[in-house]
Protein backbone atom coordinates (compact mmCIF):
# COMPACT_ATOMS: atom_id res chain seq x y z
CA UNK A 1 0.00 0.00 0.00
CA UNK A 2 1.27 3.49 -0.87
CA UNK A 3 2.29 5.71 2.05
CA UNK A 4 -0.45 8.06 3.18
CA UNK A 5 -0.09 11.71 2.22
CA UNK A 6 -0.25 13.81 5.37
CA UNK A 7 -0.23 17.59 5.02
CA UNK A 8 0.33 20.10 7.77
CA UNK A 9 -0.86 23.62 6.92
CA UNK A 10 0.14 26.66 8.96
CA UNK A 11 -2.23 29.57 8.29
CA UNK A 12 -5.12 27.16 7.69
CA UNK A 13 -7.71 29.79 8.71
CA UNK A 14 -6.49 32.24 6.06
CA UNK A 15 -7.64 32.74 2.49
CA UNK A 16 -5.09 30.35 0.96
CA UNK A 17 -5.16 27.86 3.85
CA UNK A 18 -8.88 27.29 3.38
CA UNK A 19 -8.65 26.70 -0.38
CA UNK A 20 -5.56 24.53 0.01
CA UNK A 21 -7.32 22.39 2.63
CA UNK A 22 -10.22 21.78 0.24
CA UNK A 23 -7.81 20.99 -2.60
CA UNK A 24 -5.72 18.50 -0.58
CA UNK A 25 -8.79 16.81 0.93
CA UNK A 26 -10.12 16.32 -2.62
CA UNK A 27 -6.82 14.58 -3.44
CA UNK A 28 -7.26 12.15 -0.52
CA UNK A 29 -4.77 13.79 1.86
CA UNK A 30 -5.07 13.70 5.61
CA UNK A 31 -5.01 17.43 6.36
CA UNK A 32 -3.86 18.99 9.63
CA UNK A 33 -4.03 22.69 10.31
CA UNK A 34 -2.51 24.96 12.93
CA UNK A 35 -4.81 27.41 14.66
CA UNK A 36 -4.23 29.90 17.44
CA UNK A 37 -6.46 30.86 20.27
CA UNK A 38 -8.60 33.95 19.78
CA UNK A 39 -11.38 35.58 21.76
CA UNK A 40 -13.50 35.89 18.61
CA UNK A 41 -14.46 33.38 15.93
CA UNK A 42 -11.90 33.50 13.13
CA UNK A 43 -12.65 30.05 11.68
CA UNK A 44 -15.25 31.24 9.18
CA UNK A 45 -13.27 30.16 6.12
CA UNK A 46 -12.84 26.56 7.32
CA UNK A 47 -16.09 26.12 9.28
CA UNK A 48 -17.52 23.95 6.48
CA UNK A 49 -14.55 21.56 6.78
CA UNK A 50 -14.68 21.00 10.51
CA UNK A 51 -16.01 17.53 11.25
CA UNK A 52 -14.65 16.15 7.94
CA UNK A 53 -12.95 12.83 8.89
CA UNK A 54 -9.58 13.68 7.31
CA UNK A 55 -9.42 17.25 8.62
CA UNK A 56 -7.79 17.97 11.99
CA UNK A 57 -6.89 21.16 13.84
CA UNK A 58 -4.15 21.74 16.42
CA UNK A 59 -3.28 24.72 18.57
CA UNK A 60 0.17 26.15 17.91
CA UNK A 61 1.73 29.50 17.13
CA UNK A 62 4.46 30.56 14.74
CA UNK A 63 6.06 32.45 17.61
CA UNK A 64 6.23 29.37 19.84
CA UNK A 65 8.91 26.81 18.84
CA UNK A 66 7.79 24.26 21.40
CA UNK A 67 4.25 24.15 20.06
CA UNK A 68 5.56 23.71 16.51
CA UNK A 69 7.98 20.93 17.46
CA UNK A 70 5.15 19.13 19.26
CA UNK A 71 2.62 19.40 16.44
CA UNK A 72 5.12 18.33 13.76
CA UNK A 73 6.12 15.35 15.93
CA UNK A 74 2.51 14.37 16.52
CA UNK A 75 1.30 14.74 12.92
CA UNK A 76 4.44 13.31 11.18
CA UNK A 77 3.61 15.23 7.98
CA UNK A 78 4.87 14.23 4.54
CA UNK A 79 4.27 17.80 3.34
CA UNK A 80 4.22 21.11 5.22
CA UNK A 81 2.67 24.22 3.67
CA UNK A 82 3.93 27.21 5.65
CA UNK A 83 1.28 29.82 4.90
CA UNK A 84 1.03 31.48 8.33
CA UNK A 85 2.05 35.13 8.31
CA UNK A 86 1.21 38.63 9.34
CA UNK A 87 0.38 39.17 5.69
CA UNK A 88 -0.75 42.81 5.53
CA UNK A 89 1.98 45.06 4.11
CA UNK A 90 0.63 48.31 5.60
CA UNK A 91 0.23 46.68 9.04
CA UNK A 92 3.89 45.60 8.89
CA UNK A 93 4.88 49.27 9.20
CA UNK A 94 2.90 49.46 12.46
CA UNK A 95 4.01 46.07 13.84
CA UNK A 96 7.42 45.43 12.29
CA UNK A 97 8.81 43.30 15.13
CA UNK A 98 5.80 40.97 15.29
CA UNK A 99 5.90 40.70 11.49
CA UNK A 100 9.59 39.72 11.61
CA UNK A 101 8.97 37.16 14.35
CA UNK A 102 6.16 35.38 12.50
CA UNK A 103 7.17 35.89 8.85
CA UNK A 104 10.95 35.49 9.21
CA UNK A 105 11.87 33.59 12.38
CA UNK A 106 8.66 31.56 12.07
CA UNK A 107 10.02 29.94 8.91
CA UNK A 108 13.20 28.98 10.74
CA UNK A 109 11.10 27.49 13.56
CA UNK A 110 9.25 25.26 11.09
CA UNK A 111 12.49 24.07 9.49
CA UNK A 112 14.00 23.30 12.89
CA UNK A 113 10.81 21.54 14.04
CA UNK A 114 11.21 19.21 11.05
CA UNK A 115 14.89 18.59 11.84
CA UNK A 116 14.22 18.08 15.55
CA UNK A 117 11.72 15.37 14.65
CA UNK A 118 14.19 13.79 12.16
CA UNK A 119 11.78 14.25 9.27
CA UNK A 120 14.12 16.11 6.92
CA UNK A 121 14.37 13.18 4.50
CA UNK A 122 10.64 12.46 4.34
CA UNK A 123 8.88 15.79 4.71
CA UNK A 124 8.68 18.33 1.87
CA UNK A 125 8.17 21.99 2.78
CA UNK A 126 6.44 24.75 0.83
CA UNK A 127 7.17 28.33 1.88
CA UNK A 128 4.65 31.07 1.00
CA UNK A 129 6.99 33.61 -0.52
CA UNK A 130 5.86 36.75 -2.29
CA UNK A 131 6.25 39.15 -5.20
CA UNK A 132 6.80 41.82 -2.51
CA UNK A 133 10.44 40.63 -2.55
CA UNK A 134 10.84 42.50 -5.87
CA UNK A 135 9.61 45.65 -4.10
CA UNK A 136 11.19 48.71 -5.66
CA UNK A 137 11.36 46.76 -8.88
CA UNK A 138 14.56 46.47 -10.84
CA UNK A 139 12.95 45.00 -13.99
CA UNK A 140 9.51 44.26 -15.48
CA UNK A 141 8.09 41.70 -15.74
CA UNK A 142 9.68 39.86 -12.80
CA UNK A 143 10.91 36.26 -13.02
CA UNK A 144 12.95 33.85 -10.86
CA UNK A 145 16.18 35.69 -11.80
CA UNK A 146 15.00 39.25 -11.11
CA UNK A 147 16.99 40.82 -8.23
CA UNK A 148 15.10 41.39 -4.98
CA UNK A 149 14.64 44.86 -3.49
CA UNK A 150 12.21 44.47 -0.55
CA UNK A 151 10.38 47.70 0.25
CA UNK A 152 8.44 47.15 3.52
CA UNK A 153 9.05 45.42 6.88
CA UNK A 154 6.81 42.61 5.57
CA UNK A 155 8.96 42.12 2.47
CA UNK A 156 12.21 42.23 4.45
CA UNK A 157 10.87 39.53 6.79
CA UNK A 158 9.74 37.41 3.83
CA UNK A 159 13.19 37.81 2.28
CA UNK A 160 14.69 36.09 5.32
CA UNK A 161 12.12 33.31 4.87
CA UNK A 162 13.14 32.89 1.24
CA UNK A 163 16.86 32.68 2.03
CA UNK A 164 16.57 30.39 5.06
CA UNK A 165 14.55 27.95 2.94
CA UNK A 166 17.28 28.03 0.28
CA UNK A 167 19.97 27.61 2.94
CA UNK A 168 18.35 24.52 4.50
CA UNK A 169 17.85 23.06 1.02
CA UNK A 170 21.56 23.36 0.34
CA UNK A 171 22.98 22.73 3.80
CA UNK A 172 20.82 19.75 4.80
CA UNK A 173 19.57 18.55 1.41
CA UNK A 174 15.97 19.16 2.44
CA UNK A 175 13.15 19.31 -0.09
CA UNK A 176 12.04 22.86 0.69
CA UNK A 177 10.88 25.41 -1.86
CA UNK A 178 9.48 28.90 -2.12
CA UNK A 179 6.54 29.81 -4.31
CA UNK A 180 7.01 33.48 -5.22
CA UNK A 181 3.32 34.23 -5.52
CA UNK A 182 1.97 37.46 -6.95
CA UNK A 183 -1.24 38.91 -5.49
CA UNK A 184 -4.10 36.44 -5.49
CA UNK A 185 -7.57 37.32 -4.42
CA UNK A 186 -10.96 35.74 -3.94
CA UNK A 187 -14.32 36.06 -2.26
CA UNK A 188 -12.46 34.90 0.90
CA UNK A 189 -9.82 37.66 0.73
CA UNK A 190 -9.34 39.66 3.94
CA UNK A 191 -11.53 42.76 3.88
CA UNK A 192 -8.69 45.31 4.22
CA UNK A 193 -6.75 44.22 1.13
CA UNK A 194 -7.50 46.60 -1.71
CA UNK A 195 -9.48 44.25 -3.99
CA UNK A 196 -11.90 43.02 -1.33
CA UNK A 197 -12.19 46.49 0.16
CA UNK A 198 -13.30 47.68 -3.30
CA UNK A 199 -15.73 44.82 -4.08
CA UNK A 200 -17.41 45.09 -0.68
CA UNK A 201 -17.68 48.87 -0.92
CA UNK A 202 -19.02 48.71 -4.50
CA UNK A 203 -21.72 46.31 -3.29
CA UNK A 204 -22.59 48.48 -0.28
CA UNK A 205 -22.69 51.69 -2.31
CA UNK A 206 -24.86 50.01 -4.98
CA UNK A 207 -27.29 48.92 -2.25
CA UNK A 208 -27.34 52.31 -0.52
CA UNK A 209 -25.41 51.14 2.57
CA UNK A 210 -22.30 53.31 2.10
CA UNK A 211 -21.68 56.71 0.52
CA UNK A 212 -18.05 56.73 -0.46
CA UNK A 213 -14.98 54.47 -0.67
CA UNK A 214 -11.62 55.94 0.41
CA UNK A 215 -8.49 54.49 -1.19
CA UNK A 216 -4.76 55.25 -1.32
CA UNK A 217 -2.55 54.97 -4.40
CA UNK A 218 -4.83 54.40 -7.40
CA UNK A 219 -1.90 54.14 -9.84
CA UNK A 220 -0.38 51.10 -8.15
CA UNK A 221 -0.02 48.17 -10.58
CA UNK A 222 -0.62 44.57 -9.58
CA UNK A 223 -0.70 41.16 -11.27
CA UNK A 224 -3.91 39.79 -9.70
CA UNK A 225 -4.87 36.10 -9.91
CA UNK A 226 -7.48 33.86 -8.32
CA UNK A 227 -6.44 32.20 -5.02
CA UNK A 228 -8.23 28.96 -5.86
CA UNK A 229 -6.01 28.54 -8.95
CA UNK A 230 -2.86 29.42 -7.02
CA UNK A 231 -3.15 26.78 -4.29
CA UNK A 232 -2.92 24.08 -6.97
CA UNK A 233 0.49 25.48 -7.82
CA UNK A 234 1.67 25.20 -4.20
CA UNK A 235 0.94 21.49 -4.42
CA UNK A 236 2.55 21.14 -7.88
CA UNK A 237 5.75 22.74 -6.55
CA UNK A 238 6.02 19.99 -3.91
CA UNK A 239 5.27 17.22 -6.46
CA UNK A 240 8.10 18.40 -8.76
CA UNK A 241 11.05 16.01 -9.14
CA UNK A 242 13.50 18.52 -7.61
CA UNK A 243 13.15 21.27 -5.02
CA UNK A 244 13.03 24.63 -6.81
CA UNK A 245 11.51 28.09 -6.44
CA UNK A 246 8.80 29.29 -8.83
CA UNK A 247 7.16 32.59 -9.78
CA UNK A 248 3.38 32.18 -9.80
CA UNK A 249 1.51 34.97 -11.59
CA UNK A 250 -0.96 35.57 -14.40
CA UNK A 251 1.39 37.68 -16.56
CA UNK A 252 -1.22 40.47 -16.77
CA UNK A 253 -1.07 43.80 -14.94
CA UNK A 254 -3.78 46.31 -13.91
CA UNK A 255 -3.99 49.45 -11.76
CA UNK A 256 -6.06 49.80 -8.60
CA UNK A 257 -8.14 52.34 -10.56
CA UNK A 258 -8.90 49.74 -13.26
CA UNK A 259 -9.92 47.20 -10.62
CA UNK A 260 -12.29 49.75 -9.06
CA UNK A 261 -13.79 50.78 -12.42
CA UNK A 262 -14.60 47.16 -13.30
CA UNK A 263 -15.87 46.28 -9.81
CA UNK A 264 -18.28 49.24 -9.74
CA UNK A 265 -19.40 48.36 -13.28
CA UNK A 266 -20.36 44.85 -12.09
CA UNK A 267 -22.22 46.42 -9.17
CA UNK A 268 -24.20 48.53 -11.69
CA UNK A 269 -22.32 51.83 -11.28
CA UNK A 270 -20.32 53.39 -14.14
CA UNK A 271 -17.43 55.52 -12.89
CA UNK A 272 -15.87 58.66 -14.39
CA UNK A 273 -12.48 59.69 -12.95
CA UNK A 274 -11.69 63.37 -12.36
CA UNK A 275 -8.73 65.17 -10.78
CA UNK A 276 -5.25 63.95 -9.89
CA UNK A 277 -3.34 62.55 -6.92
CA UNK A 278 -4.97 63.24 -3.58
CA UNK A 279 -7.76 65.19 -5.40
CA UNK A 280 -8.76 62.37 -7.73
CA UNK A 281 -12.37 61.22 -7.50
CA UNK A 282 -14.49 58.45 -8.97
CA UNK A 283 -17.87 59.90 -9.90
CA UNK A 284 -21.06 57.92 -10.47
CA UNK A 285 -21.90 58.94 -14.05
CA UNK A 286 -25.63 58.52 -13.46
CA UNK A 287 -26.00 60.52 -10.24
CA UNK A 288 -22.94 62.80 -10.40
CA UNK A 289 -22.09 61.74 -6.81
CA UNK A 290 -18.51 61.11 -5.68
CA UNK A 291 -18.32 57.44 -4.72
CA UNK A 292 -14.52 57.00 -4.64
CA UNK A 293 -12.07 59.46 -3.09
CA UNK A 294 -8.39 59.37 -2.14
CA UNK A 295 -7.21 59.50 1.47
CA UNK A 296 -3.60 59.89 2.57
CA UNK A 297 -4.39 57.45 5.40
CA UNK A 298 -3.94 54.63 2.90
CA UNK A 299 -0.60 55.80 1.52
CA UNK A 300 2.39 53.74 2.69
CA UNK A 301 5.79 55.06 3.79
CA UNK A 302 7.23 53.09 0.85
CA UNK A 303 4.89 51.53 -1.70
CA UNK A 304 5.48 48.82 -4.27
CA UNK A 305 3.91 50.13 -7.45
CA UNK A 306 4.85 47.97 -10.42
CA UNK A 307 4.37 44.23 -9.92
CA UNK A 308 4.05 42.11 -13.03
CA UNK A 309 5.00 38.42 -12.96
CA UNK A 310 6.41 36.18 -15.66
CA UNK A 311 5.01 32.65 -15.02
CA UNK A 312 6.90 30.98 -17.91
CA UNK A 313 8.84 28.56 -15.66
CA UNK A 314 5.71 27.37 -13.80
CA UNK A 315 3.90 26.94 -17.14
CA UNK A 316 6.73 24.88 -18.66
CA UNK A 317 7.93 22.83 -15.70
CA UNK A 318 4.72 22.39 -13.70
CA UNK A 319 2.22 22.47 -16.56
CA UNK A 320 0.27 25.15 -14.71
CA UNK A 321 -2.19 27.39 -16.56
CA UNK A 322 -1.84 30.97 -15.25
CA UNK A 323 -5.00 32.14 -17.02
CA UNK A 324 -7.52 29.62 -15.68
CA UNK A 325 -9.44 32.54 -14.17
CA UNK A 326 -9.00 35.87 -15.96
CA UNK A 327 -8.88 39.29 -14.31
CA UNK A 328 -12.37 40.05 -15.64
CA UNK A 329 -13.75 36.77 -14.22
CA UNK A 330 -12.02 37.37 -10.87
CA UNK A 331 -13.54 40.84 -10.42
CA UNK A 332 -16.97 39.59 -11.52
CA UNK A 333 -17.01 36.64 -9.11
CA UNK A 334 -15.86 38.77 -6.17
CA UNK A 335 -18.51 41.43 -6.82
CA UNK A 336 -21.24 38.83 -7.35
CA UNK A 337 -20.33 37.26 -4.01
CA UNK A 338 -20.27 40.59 -2.17
CA UNK A 339 -23.55 41.81 -3.70
CA UNK A 340 -25.19 38.71 -2.19
CA UNK A 341 -23.31 39.06 1.09
CA UNK A 342 -24.32 42.69 1.59
CA UNK A 343 -27.96 41.86 0.77
CA UNK A 344 -27.90 38.87 3.14
CA UNK A 345 -26.26 40.91 5.94
CA UNK A 346 -29.03 43.46 5.51
CA UNK A 347 -31.69 40.73 5.66
CA UNK A 348 -30.02 39.24 8.76
CA UNK A 349 -29.87 42.59 10.51
CA UNK A 350 -33.57 43.18 9.62
CA UNK A 351 -34.47 39.83 11.21
CA UNK A 352 -32.37 40.76 14.22
CA UNK A 353 -34.01 44.18 14.54
CA UNK A 354 -37.48 42.70 14.11
CA UNK A 355 -36.71 40.06 16.70
CA UNK A 356 -35.51 42.71 19.15
CA UNK A 357 -38.70 44.69 18.49
CA UNK A 358 -40.89 41.60 18.94
CA UNK A 359 -39.09 40.69 22.14
CA UNK A 360 -39.53 44.22 23.43
CA UNK A 361 -43.25 44.12 22.66
CA UNK A 362 -43.51 40.68 24.23
CA UNK A 363 -44.60 39.17 20.90
CA UNK A 364 -42.07 36.33 21.07
CA UNK A 365 -40.72 34.56 24.11
P1 LIG B 1 -4.14 35.55 5.35
O1 LIG B 1 -5.52 35.37 4.82
O2 LIG B 1 -3.77 36.82 6.01
O3 LIG B 1 -3.86 34.34 6.36
C1 LIG B 1 -2.75 34.34 7.22
C2 LIG B 1 -2.81 33.13 8.12
O4 LIG B 1 -1.69 33.14 8.99
C3 LIG B 1 -4.06 33.08 9.01
O5 LIG B 1 -4.50 31.75 9.11
C4 LIG B 1 -3.51 33.54 10.36
O6 LIG B 1 -4.23 33.05 11.47
C5 LIG B 1 -2.13 32.88 10.31
N1 LIG B 1 -1.23 33.43 11.31
C6 LIG B 1 -0.82 34.71 11.46
N2 LIG B 1 0.02 34.82 12.52
C7 LIG B 1 0.14 33.58 13.05
C8 LIG B 1 0.85 33.05 14.16
N3 LIG B 1 1.61 33.82 14.96
N4 LIG B 1 0.72 31.72 14.42
C9 LIG B 1 -0.05 30.93 13.65
N5 LIG B 1 -0.74 31.38 12.59
C10 LIG B 1 -0.66 32.69 12.30
O7 LIG B 1 -3.06 35.31 4.19
P2 LIG B 1 -3.24 34.62 2.75
O8 LIG B 1 -3.65 35.66 1.77
O9 LIG B 1 -3.99 33.38 2.87
O10 LIG B 1 -1.70 34.29 2.41
C11 LIG B 1 -1.11 33.08 2.81
C12 LIG B 1 0.40 33.24 2.80
O11 LIG B 1 0.86 33.61 1.51
C13 LIG B 1 0.94 34.30 3.75
O12 LIG B 1 2.18 33.83 4.23
C14 LIG B 1 1.16 35.51 2.85
O13 LIG B 1 2.16 36.33 3.39
C15 LIG B 1 1.59 34.83 1.57
N6 LIG B 1 1.28 35.52 0.33
C16 LIG B 1 0.02 35.93 0.07
C17 LIG B 1 -0.26 36.50 -1.16
C18 LIG B 1 -1.67 36.94 -1.52
O14 LIG B 1 -1.81 37.70 -2.48
N7 LIG B 1 -2.69 36.46 -0.84
C19 LIG B 1 0.76 36.65 -2.12
C20 LIG B 1 2.03 36.20 -1.80
C21 LIG B 1 2.29 35.61 -0.58
P3 LIG B 1 -5.46 33.90 12.12
O15 LIG B 1 -6.66 33.55 11.29
O16 LIG B 1 -5.50 33.36 13.49
O17 LIG B 1 -5.09 35.34 12.03
O1 LIG C 1 -2.37 46.52 -1.75
C1 LIG C 1 -2.67 49.96 -2.97
C2 LIG C 1 -1.52 49.64 -2.03
O2 LIG C 1 -2.94 45.64 0.51
C3 LIG C 1 -2.21 46.50 -3.15
C4 LIG C 1 -0.61 40.69 0.47
O3 LIG C 1 -1.38 39.52 0.25
O4 LIG C 1 -0.03 40.86 -1.86
C5 LIG C 1 -0.65 41.55 -0.78
O5 LIG C 1 0.04 42.76 -0.50
C6 LIG C 1 -1.87 47.90 -3.66
C7 LIG C 1 -0.77 48.60 -2.86
O6 LIG C 1 -1.89 44.14 -1.21
C8 LIG C 1 -5.46 50.97 -0.89
O7 LIG C 1 -0.76 50.80 -1.74
C9 LIG C 1 -4.47 51.69 -2.68
O8 LIG C 1 0.12 49.27 -3.74
O9 LIG C 1 -4.20 44.78 -1.51
P1 LIG C 1 -2.94 45.27 -0.93
P2 LIG C 1 -0.29 44.13 -1.24
O10 LIG C 1 0.29 45.21 -0.44
O11 LIG C 1 0.12 44.05 -2.67
C10 LIG C 1 1.34 40.51 -1.65
C11 LIG C 1 1.81 39.76 -2.87
C12 LIG C 1 1.57 39.82 -0.37
O12 LIG C 1 2.49 39.01 -0.25
C13 LIG C 1 0.83 40.30 0.81
O13 LIG C 1 0.77 39.30 1.81
O14 LIG C 1 -3.03 48.71 -3.53
N1 LIG C 1 -3.84 50.56 -2.30
N2 LIG C 1 -5.46 51.97 -1.84
C14 LIG C 1 -4.43 50.09 -1.19
N3 LIG C 1 -4.19 48.99 -0.45
C15 LIG C 1 -5.00 48.76 0.62
N4 LIG C 1 -4.82 47.65 1.38
N5 LIG C 1 -6.01 49.63 0.97
C16 LIG C 1 -6.28 50.75 0.25
O15 LIG C 1 -7.18 51.51 0.56
Amino acid sequence: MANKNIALITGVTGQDGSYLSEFLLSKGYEVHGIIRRSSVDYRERIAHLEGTPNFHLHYADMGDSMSLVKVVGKVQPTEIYNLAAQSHVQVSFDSPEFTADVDATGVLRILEAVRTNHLEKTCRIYQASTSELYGKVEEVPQNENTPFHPYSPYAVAKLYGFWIIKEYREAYNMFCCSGILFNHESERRGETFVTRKITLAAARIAQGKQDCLYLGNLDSLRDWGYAKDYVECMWLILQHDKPEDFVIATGVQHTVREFATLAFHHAGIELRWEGEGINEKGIDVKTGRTVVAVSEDFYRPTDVVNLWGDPTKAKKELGWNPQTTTFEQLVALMVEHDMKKVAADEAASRVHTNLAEYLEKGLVK
Side-chain angles (χ1 to χ4, degrees):
M1 203 179 84
N3 285 338
K4 199 167 173 45
N5 290 317
I6 304 171
L8 177 65
I9 304 176
T10 73
V12 74
T13 55
Q15 170 189 259
D16 292 4
S18 65
Y19 285 122
L20 182 65
S21 298
E22 289 167 4
F23 178 82
L24 294 176
L25 286 168
S26 77
K27 293 232 163 264
Y29 277 63
E30 185 178 304
V31 175
H32 296 257
I34 283 174
I35 53 167
R36 49 190 183 147
R37 198 262 159 186
S38 165
S39 65
V40 287
D41 184 19
Y42 57 93
R43 279 145 74 160
E44 195 186 330
R45 295 186 181 103
I46 52 165
H48 60 294
L49 298 177
E50 293 190 45
T52 306
N54 271 339
F55 187 67
H56 311 276
L57 297 174
H58 310 265
Y59 282 106
D61 195 292
M62 295 305 290
D64 178 351
S65 302
M66 248 186 285
S67 69
L68 295 174
V69 170
K70 274 196 275 183
V71 79
V72 169
K74 186 173 165 198
V75 170
Q76 298 279 306
T78 56
E79 294 174 10
I80 294 180
Y81 294 86
N82 185 37
L83 310 185
Q86 190 302 94
S87 73
H88 203 285
V89 174
Q90 189 156 12
V91 171
S92 77
F93 289 96
D94 298 325
S95 292
E97 186 182 347
F98 172 73
T99 303
D101 191 41
V102 176
D103 300 12
T105 317
V107 186
L108 178 68
R109 292 188 185 107
I110 286 287
L111 289 163
E112 279 299 317
V114 169
R115 293 188 67 228
T116 305
N117 284 290
H118 310 293
L119 296 174
E120 59 268 55
K121 298 277 172 283
T122 54
C123 179
R124 297 183 169 200
I125 304 169
Y126 171 86
Q127 164 60 15
S129 193
T130 168
S131 51
E132 289 291 306
L133 299 190
Y134 300 119
K136 193 174 179 189
V137 298
E138 300 194 5
E139 69 181 16
V140 281
Q142 296 95 34
N143 62 34
E144 290 79 4
N145 300 315
T146 302
F148 296 138
H149 188 145
Y151 215 34
S152 66
Y154 167 79
V156 174
K158 283 282 185 178
L159 186 68
Y160 175 87
F162 178 89
W163 281 108
I164 201 70
I165 285 282
K166 198 169 160 54
E167 176 58 24
Y168 275 50
R169 183 160 75 213
E170 289 172 18
Y172 304 119
N173 207 19
M174 288 168 73
F175 196 111
C176 41
C177 322
S178 291
I180 306 174
L181 270 58
F182 282 61
N183 298 54
H184 44 282
E185 318 294 315
S186 73
E187 52 276 48
R188 295 185 194 168
R189 184 59 143 152
E191 296 181 7
T192 57
F193 294 96
V194 77
T195 55
R196 190 75 198 290
K197 182 173 165 183
I198 293 171
T199 58
L200 268 171
R204 287 194 192 112
I205 291 170
Q207 295 180 37
K209 305 281 171 291
Q210 184 175 329
D211 294 328
C212 186
L213 163 66
Y214 292 91
L215 293 172
N217 185 359
L218 297 171
D219 291 317
S220 193
L221 285 155
R222 285 292 182 276
D223 179 330
W224 280 296
Y226 187 31
K228 216 172 180 172
D229 300 337
Y230 281 39
V231 297
E232 183 197 1
C233 232
M234 298 176 182
W235 176 74
L236 286 171
I237 289 173
L238 289 196
Q239 312 317 306
H240 196 45
D241 49 8
K242 46 187 186 301
E244 283 184 15
D245 307 320
F246 287 87
V247 159
I248 307 300
T250 68
V252 182
Q253 208 187 26
H254 291 277
T255 60
V256 170
R257 187 184 297 99
E258 284 165 350
F259 191 103
T261 305
L262 194 54
F264 275 81
H265 165 76
H266 284 298
I269 299 172
E270 301 306 326
L271 289 185
R272 180 179 75 236
W273 296 94
E274 281 182 8
E276 273 177 33
I278 191 76
N279 297 315
E280 186 165 354
K281 293 186 186 343
I283 295 171
D284 179 343
V285 170
K286 202 155 119 199
T287 62
R289 277 178 41 222
T290 296
V291 287
V292 184
V294 175
S295 163
E296 273 179 4
D297 288 348
F298 302 107
Y299 285 170
R300 298 174 181 180
T302 48
D303 197 12
V304 173
V305 294
N306 196 1
L307 290 179
W308 180 13
D310 173 2
T312 306
K313 183 180 175 192
K315 240 161 67 175
K316 270 198 197 144
E317 294 189 26
L318 303 175
W320 182 68
N321 173 10
Q323 285 288 320
T324 308
T325 308
T326 64
F327 175 73
E328 287 71 20
Q329 289 168 329
L330 172 66
V331 179
L333 71 85
M334 288 178 70
V335 174
E336 190 185 338
H337 174 274
D338 284 339
M339 288 294 278
K340 287 187 195 143
K341 177 180 161 53
V342 170
D345 288 352
E346 164 68 5
S349 80
R350 243 194 339 260
V351 169
H352 184 73
T353 314
N354 289 346
L355 187 63
E357 192 184 312
Y358 291 158
L359 282 170
E360 204 173 292
K361 291 180 181 163
L363 298 174
V364 285
K365 300 283 176 220

